[in-house]
Amino acid sequence: MKERLLERIAAVKELQEAVALYKSKKGCMLTGLDGAVKALYLSAMKETAAKEGTLALLVPDREAVREYRQTLAYLYPDTPMQEFYPVNLPRVQADSRNLEIQAGRASALRMIAGEEKGIVFVTAEALMQKQARPSGLTRNSLQLAVGETLEQERFIEKLAGMGYERTEEVDTIGQFSVRGGIIDVFPLNSVNPVRIEWFDADIDGIRYFDVAAKRSLENTDAVTIVSLQSQAEEGFDAYLRDYGAPDTLFVQDEPMQMKETLERLYKEGQAFQDELWSPEEICSMEEAANLLAVSALDTNSFASVPRLQVPVRRVTSYNRSIDRLVEDLQNLLDEGIQPYIMMSTALKARGIAESLRQRGIPSVCLADAPEDIAKVNVGFGELFSGFRF
């Protein structure tokens, strides 16, 4: 059913106009979107404007992350989702690092940079923190390739210098182990550890393996290992968008609330403001970056960006009143509007479709029959609110 929903929303005139503005680099401010329809609308835009890219949502706080996740998890059940975590300020040294936080940040940056496809959530707190330059991360990494000549001892020295811990067996990120001509290492920038095999001084093979089962997953010709040490010597003067790939779709959620949150956090962080972008700087960089923003209400945020009011409203809850539902559905059908009903399971979808038919409402269950434009279409899935265009 989610494919049908995205196709229907992608055909909305205002969405097509928004895509055209975005592709022409003019940016767009979308208003009138709230609740589950906001995530659906942005997903339809992504499928239309940046299908193979990452969706990066810049949100005021973690409550917004939770709300987006609920709908996006239904729409993209197999797509990785990662929050770009903020770091503690002032920045701490490597010996007090949190590897889980570092790994999450590295995963989010890989998605934003287009190395992997996914959905990234960035709160106001993380967005305002200055980042290490992308070039600095590259210079502080180690690239290995099959067929390359590299003395094993030299590689071990490099790993130790990058902050990796030598252990008997690799169990978690930041560790490496040595067994004869084999070195296992769990890079900060990898979902799985890698096993590197040597023949004399030559790298003979590289393959990823499952950390729990110790079972090989796939071979690879090359691997990049990012340092665990701080890149402070490279300078922290990059904005998060500097990492973005051409097909990464950045979306700023609720600009007015975002601005208020940024202003509060900036005021609270007076002691380390040199490590933060000011709200004014962020606004300027966003406005100059083909901004796509979404808001429930129209605001005066980003006045120079074209605005589109999306004609959509929430549907009130029926509180199990089948009579009210039947009445409204009949009115919609009489107006030539195609209603969709979403239930939590296929069994409930079949049940409500049968109940509607018994009350004279033509309906089909999408689990058993093709879509019918002249009937109420009942499917199953997970949305926390209804809407009507």
Side-chain angles (χ1 to χ4, degrees), residues 142-202:
L142 180 61
Q143 289 83 33
L144 302 178
V146 174
E148 178 183 348
T149 299
L150 175 65
E151 293 289 345
Q152 229 184 13
E153 286 303 316
R154 176 62 177 150
F155 177 57
I156 292 171
E157 291 175 4
K158 284 178 175 289
L159 284 177
M162 294 165 69
Y164 284 80
E165 176 189 9
R166 184 168 179 171
T167 59
E168 288 295 320
E169 192 173 78
V170 169
D171 294 315
T172 189
I173 288 169
Q175 296 179 340
F176 74 95
S177 65
V178 183
R179 299 188 316 280
I182 297 175
I183 295 181
D184 292 345
V185 58
F186 204 144
L188 173 68
N189 55 310
S190 178
V191 176
N192 296 298
V194 292
R195 179 160 294 158
I196 307 163
E197 299 182 9
W198 267 262
F199 181 77
D200 292 332
D202 297 331

Side-chain angles (χ1 to χ4, degrees), residues 59-62 65 83-84 86 121-128 258:
V59 298
D61 50 38
R62 301 199 74 186
V65 174
E83 182 177 345
F84 182 68
F121 305 98
V122 185
T123 62
E125 182 182 5
L127 181 66
M128 72 189 310
M258 174 71 85

Side-chain angles (χ1 to χ4, degrees), residues 43-272:
S43 298
M45 277 204 68
K46 177 190 176 303
E47 294 300 303
T48 306
K51 186 175 179 62
E52 299 305 319
T54 284
L55 175 62
L57 291 164
L58 315 180
V59 298
D61 50 38
R62 301 199 74 186
E63 177 62 23
V65 174
R66 185 193 66 79
E67 291 181 0
Y68 269 114
R69 271 186 181 273
Q70 187 171 352
T71 300
L72 291 172
Y74 160 64
L75 296 173
Y76 299 104
D78 301 320
T79 298
M81 297 187 190
Q82 177 65 55
E83 182 177 345
F84 182 68
Y85 302 113
V87 298
N88 293 325
L89 296 177
R91 296 184 188 276
V92 295
Q93 296 302 312
D95 58 0
S96 60
R97 64 187 179 269
N98 184 319
L99 288 179
E100 184 178 349
I101 295 295
Q102 284 200 58
R105 286 170 58 84
S107 175
L109 286 177
R110 290 199 305 275
M111 293 178 188
I112 290 172
E115 297 174 19
E116 298 174 12
K117 181 180 178 180
I119 296 172
V120 177
F121 305 98
V122 185
T123 62
E125 182 182 5
L127 181 66
M128 72 189 310
Q129 294 180 350
K130 295 180 180 179
Q131 307 300 325
R133 300 170 193 165
S135 59
L137 294 181
T138 302
R139 282 196 292 272
N140 284 278
S141 64
L142 180 61
Q143 289 83 33
L144 302 178
V146 174
E148 178 183 348
T149 299
L150 175 65
E151 293 289 345
Q152 229 184 13
E153 286 303 316
R154 176 62 177 150
F155 177 57
I156 292 171
E157 291 175 4
K158 284 178 175 289
L159 284 177
M162 294 165 69
Y164 284 80
E165 176 189 9
R166 184 168 179 171
T167 59
E168 288 295 320
E169 192 173 78
V170 169
D171 294 315
T172 189
I173 288 169
Q175 296 179 340
F176 74 95
S177 65
V178 183
R179 299 188 316 280
I182 297 175
I183 295 181
D184 292 345
V185 58
F186 204 144
L188 173 68
N189 55 310
S190 178
V191 176
N192 296 298
V194 292
R195 179 160 294 158
I196 307 163
E197 299 182 9
W198 267 262
F199 181 77
D200 292 332
D202 297 331
I203 297 175
D204 193 45
I206 304 174
R207 64 180 184 272
Y208 291 98
F209 67 93
D210 183 281
V211 70
K214 301 296 187 285
R215 177 176 51 84
S216 295
L217 297 174
E218 61 176 333
N219 294 326
T220 182
D221 294 329
V223 66
T224 299
I225 301 172
V226 171
S227 174
L228 297 176
Q229 303 286 17
S230 170
Q231 285 83 39
E233 66 276 8
E234 301 293 341
F236 286 87
D237 56 6
Y239 185 52
L240 186 62
R241 278 184 180 262
D242 295 339
Y243 285 83
D247 59 353
T248 296
L249 182 63
F250 287 93
V251 179
Q252 185 168 142
D253 179 66
E254 298 297 340
M256 186 60 72
Q257 186 182 346
M258 174 71 85
K259 180 184 178 184
E260 293 172 355
T261 305
L262 289 170
E263 289 174 344
R264 174 178 58 79
L265 292 172
Y266 193 69
K267 184 177 181 181
E268 293 173 356
Q270 288 183 355
F272 39 85

Side-chain angles (χ1 to χ4, degrees), residues 320-333:
R320 298 182 180 274
S321 173
I322 190 71
D323 292 334
R324 283 181 54 219
L325 176 62
V326 167
E327 181 181 354
D328 283 359
L329 289 174
Q330 188 60 63
N331 289 335
L332 290 171
L333 290 171

